[in-house]
Amino acid sequence: MCRKIDEEIFPGTHNILQAAKILTALGHFYQMNRFLQLPLLSPPNLKAPFAPFFQGLLRSHGRHVFEIPKDQVGVSSNNSVPRFRTYCTSKDLLIKKCVPCNTKELRPMTDGAADSLMLQVAGWNLVKEDGIMKLRQSWKVKSFTKGLEFFKIIADLAESEGHHPDLHLVGWNNVTIEIWTHAVVIYAHAGGLTENDFILAAKINKLPLDHLLRRKAAE
Ligand SMILES: C[C@H](O)[C@H](O)[C@H]1CNC2=NC(N)=NC(=O)C2=N1
């Protein structure tokens, strides 16, 4: 069995000890990757059973194999490392891309995960309506037509992300945007927030909108 693993994964290794040395070196690399939030880099043609073996071996060499909590990371589509998916912490919302919401695996974010991400989206409020969590922010625009220009700038971003907010223009100059993942409610019949919503909110915060807004009354 060990021999098979050697040949299959580390061509040219002559015995398990040599493979173990390579794995230990990988263990150091793994720990470094944990801080870079990169997944365990392993040749893409590894067989699934390899992971427990590798983790066991790392543990036996005193290397603690870290599990990264699922709701604390997302997949960045800007694959800086070819053929590997990179995992970013919530701090990287601005460099991440929304992912398609049409997967049955889509799950709503936990309240705790949502709370921790709120730190990254200043100005947005976390609200819950009919059991659905949403992000909400309101602005006062200079005029009705400026409100439509505001929506157009938001719409261009939403189209580029493939993830869309709900837009409200009320009383001619009051704009409210709500962001939630509709698919979660459809597929998971629950919750409403995914990391896509926070990515969109963080990017909306960076849009050039000030010229459309009424000055806030001096406090
Ligand atoms: C395939 C694509 O991801 C889906 O159609 C997108 C489009 N935009 C979306 N936007 C929002 N807010 N929620 C969704 O579930 C959603 N689904």
Side-chain angles (χ1 to χ4, degrees):
M1 170 61 179
C2 292
R3 183 93 196 129
K4 185 175 178 324
I5 285 182
D6 282 358
E7 287 314 313
E8 188 168 287
I9 294 162
F10 298 102
T13 50
H14 304 298
N15 56 51
I16 190 65
L17 283 180
Q18 198 179 9
K21 281 190 190 121
I22 293 170
L23 288 172
T24 303
L26 273 177
H28 291 300
F29 185 53
Y30 180 90
Q31 271 201 326
M32 182 184 73
N33 291 328
R34 191 190 77 81
F35 294 110
L36 298 176
Q37 302 298 335
L38 294 178
L40 173 62
L41 292 179
S42 55
N45 61 349
L46 290 185
K47 296 283 176 288
F50 177 78
F53 166 82
F54 180 77
Q55 288 179 347
L57 198 70
L58 284 175
R59 282 199 187 92
S60 66
H61 281 65
R63 303 261 167 257
H64 179 67
V65 179
F66 295 91
E67 297 296 331
I68 304 175
K70 284 247 177 305
D71 63 355
Q72 293 300 317
V73 296
V75 174
S76 158
S77 61
N78 59 336
N79 287 333
S80 50
V81 181
R83 296 171 66 194
F84 290 98
R85 296 195 312 172
T86 56
Y87 287 84
C88 309
T89 63
S90 54
K91 293 180 179 46
D92 302 289
L93 290 175
L94 289 173
I95 64 166
K96 297 172 80 173
K97 192 102 174 66
C98 294
V99 297
C101 303
N102 54 0
T103 55
K104 295 263 186 295
E105 290 72 48
L106 206 59
R107 287 291 172 271
M109 189 174 279
T110 62
D111 292 14
D115 286 338
S116 64
L117 282 173
M118 287 309 290
L119 301 173
Q120 307 297 325
V121 287
W124 290 89
N125 297 302
L126 186 58
V127 298
K128 194 168 225 175
E129 274 176 358
D130 307 327
I132 297 176
M133 280 204 291
K134 300 177 183 178
L135 295 176
R136 179 183 289 155
Q137 184 167 184
S138 296
W139 298 262
K140 258 198 193 317
V141 288
K142 288 175 179 170
S143 69
F144 183 77
T145 49
K146 294 278 189 252
L148 297 178
E149 282 180 52
F150 184 99
F151 282 170
K152 177 66 172 75
I153 295 172
I154 302 276
D156 290 345
L157 170 66
E159 281 298 288
S160 70
E161 290 293 325
H163 198 68
H164 305 85
D166 295 352
L167 305 175
H168 306 268
L169 175 50
V170 179
W172 67 272
N173 71 343
N174 297 288
V175 170
T176 296
I177 290 185
E178 291 181 333
I179 310 176
W180 53 294
T181 300
H182 301 250
V184 160
V185 178
I186 298 164
Y187 288 130
H189 314 288
L193 282 181
T194 64
E195 197 176 46
N196 279 354
D197 304 309
F198 287 88
I199 293 168
L200 189 62
K203 291 186 177 182
I204 286 174
N205 279 354
K206 296 295 178 191
L207 289 175
L209 300 167
D210 287 353
H211 66 292
L212 300 170
L213 304 178
R214 272 180 53 181
R215 296 259 166 274
K216 283 199 169 63
E219 269 79 356

